[in-house]
Amino acid sequence: GERGGAHYSEAAVRLLEAIENDRGTIQVVNVPNRGAVPFLQPEDVAETRCRVTKDGPLPVPLKKDPGAHIKGLMQAVKAYEKLAARAALTGCYTDAVSALLTNPLTQDYPGAKSALDEMLAANREYLPQFSPYFEGVSGQP
């Protein structure tokens, strides 16, 4: 509770209990999309309603079209997530900036670059994949 994750552990216990006891309850879980959200790729991870059985969480297809504005936002956030994950794995600075620019909360390139540079500098010891970036930036500790 002090770390702010108490409700996640309760959700995890409910999920495990539903699988173990083949409950068939509906829970919101992150799962491979597999067509449940038709405007995302099948291999994308979607946080969606699932029927939870002994076979695990099975995505429940959307009942109605959420509208173009929601689809667009979800696709933008998914693009951000994919670029951020690729940047994290490869250490590619361009992918990291692109991820931030794709995020709907980012206002502009100077802000994205500044935020990224600050984050990389503060976490340098944990981000060895970005060492080429650090070598190219003068004044870095």
Side-chain angles (χ1 to χ4, degrees):
E2 292 175 22
R3 293 188 316 244
H7 298 291
Y8 289 110
S9 60
E10 292 170 12
V13 169
R14 279 194 308 272
L15 178 67
L16 292 171
E17 192 276 334
I19 292 169
E20 178 66 24
N21 295 301
D22 198 24
R23 295 273 186 226
T25 57
I26 300 293
Q27 298 185 36
V28 177
V29 184
N30 290 320
V31 294
N33 180 38
R34 297 189 185 121
V37 182
F39 50 89
L40 295 179
Q41 297 298 312
E43 69 276 4
D44 286 346
V45 172
E47 185 170 357
T48 190
R49 296 172 64 240
C50 293
R51 181 166 308 284
V52 183
T53 70
K54 64 179 174 39
D55 298 319
L58 308 169
V60 175
L62 292 180
K63 291 182 181 178
K64 64 179 188 172
D65 187 303
H69 63 296
I70 299 297
K71 287 181 193 176
L73 178 60
M74 289 177 69
Q75 289 168 333
V77 170
K78 185 53 65 182
Y80 155 74
E81 291 172 350
K82 288 178 175 181
L83 282 164
R86 187 166 69 199
L89 291 171
T90 65
C92 178
Y93 185 87
T94 301
D95 284 345
V97 170
S98 295
L100 290 175
L101 288 171
T102 303
N103 188 303
L105 298 176
T106 302
Q107 298 297 313
D108 55 34
Y109 176 78
K113 184 178 181 332
S114 176
L116 178 59
D117 290 345
E118 184 177 332
M119 186 277 305
L120 289 174
N123 295 284
R124 181 178 184 166
E125 67 182 292
Y126 307 109
L127 301 169
Q129 67 273 38
F130 283 93
S131 60
Y133 159 79
F134 293 119
E135 293 166 7
V137 176
S138 62
Q140 288 293 328

